[in-house]
Amino acid sequence: MMWPELVPLVPAYMDIANSRWLWLSTVPVVLVVLLQATIFLRRAWNDGKEMGLSEQKLKTGFKTGIISAIGPSIAVLAGMLALIATVGGPVAWMRLTVIGSVAFELPAAELGVSQFGYSLGDEGITETAYATAVWAMTLGGTGWLLVSAFGTRHMETVRTKISNGNETLIPIISAAAMLGAFAYFLSGEITAGTPETGSVAVGGLAMLGLLHLADSRDVQWLREWALGAAMLVGLLAGVALRVTVGSWW
């Protein structure tokens, strides 16, 4: 009896993409990120004490930050699954540890392999094409890291100059900058399709409702959980719309 030849379901380049040596090469990068996060948290805690903040307020801020990170982390985890399927586990782990933007990493990888006439997931992708994709992802994200490294320390000076020395304007400017950043990220999603629009709308309404409830009942823990909960509700709403109605535009 002749057995049919088995056709591999995984592209050949994925053997390199998930190799032991590539896993080992990504470990130092991830460790550096973890070290930076540890140093930053330690400095923030110590500086908060020097500014006169009580330990209770510091713990509340720390807990609020952890809770607020849950929503974005779920989105990054979902995107990481797609990235693992195309560029392998090690590179996906490294890239999303450093940058965390699937919206950038996937197009950058696609741009790299397209120079050799391939598309992500093609079985015939060569090692050179895969290496080019990884270089495109890495070098393409370098600009953000350089701006953060050399420009962050000057942001406070810029903010003070914008407020023209008026201390009452500084919180307003900071809030406006934060709202502008959120609006910038959402502007492209609102018109991307029905699930995206619904996700933004439901998440925004959930945030308003939770904050109103927290203010009317004076529930502190609800304020802390509001952002993370609203993001999770919006994410679930987008998934539900995608599964049920799809996209109408």
Side-chain angles (χ1 to χ4, degrees), residues 67-220:
I67 296 171
S68 300
I70 294 176
S73 298
I74 293 176
V76 172
L77 179 60
M80 187 175 184
L81 297 178
L83 203 60
I84 288 175
T86 53
V87 298
V91 173
W93 183 42
M94 177 189 69
R95 296 304 306 156
L96 294 186
T97 299
V98 176
I99 300 296
S101 174
V102 181
F104 166 78
E105 303 297 347
L106 281 175
E110 180 71 31
L111 178 64
V113 297
S114 67
Q115 305 308 306
F116 295 85
Y118 298 109
S119 182
L120 286 177
D122 289 350
E123 183 180 346
I125 292 179
T126 63
E127 292 86 348
T128 303
Y130 173 72
T132 303
V134 176
W135 276 110
M137 297 163 68
T138 304
L139 295 179
T142 303
W144 303 337
L145 298 177
L146 292 177
V147 170
S148 299
F150 297 106
T152 301
R153 58 186 241 171
H154 302 294
M155 290 298 104
E156 183 64 27
T157 303
V158 172
R159 190 180 68 160
T160 303
K161 287 185 178 180
I162 293 176
S163 64
N164 200 21
N166 189 345
E167 294 294 330
T168 58
L169 287 178
I170 292 181
I172 299 175
I173 293 173
S174 300
M178 184 63 68
L179 289 174
F182 276 105
Y184 172 79
F185 286 117
L186 289 176
S187 60
E189 299 298 328
I190 292 177
T191 58
T194 307
E196 289 81 359
T197 304
S199 179
V200 172
V202 172
L205 291 174
M207 185 69 178
L208 290 174
L210 290 172
L211 289 179
H212 176 73
L213 183 61
D215 292 337
S216 61
R217 302 288 181 87
D218 194 22
V219 183
Q220 179 59 33

Side-chain angles (χ1 to χ4, degrees), residues 212-234:
H212 176 73
L213 183 61
D215 292 337
S216 61
R217 302 288 181 87
D218 194 22
V219 183
Q220 179 59 33
W221 68 266
L222 189 57
R223 295 191 187 95
E224 298 170 0
W225 281 88
L227 181 59
M231 288 181 175
L232 181 58
V233 170

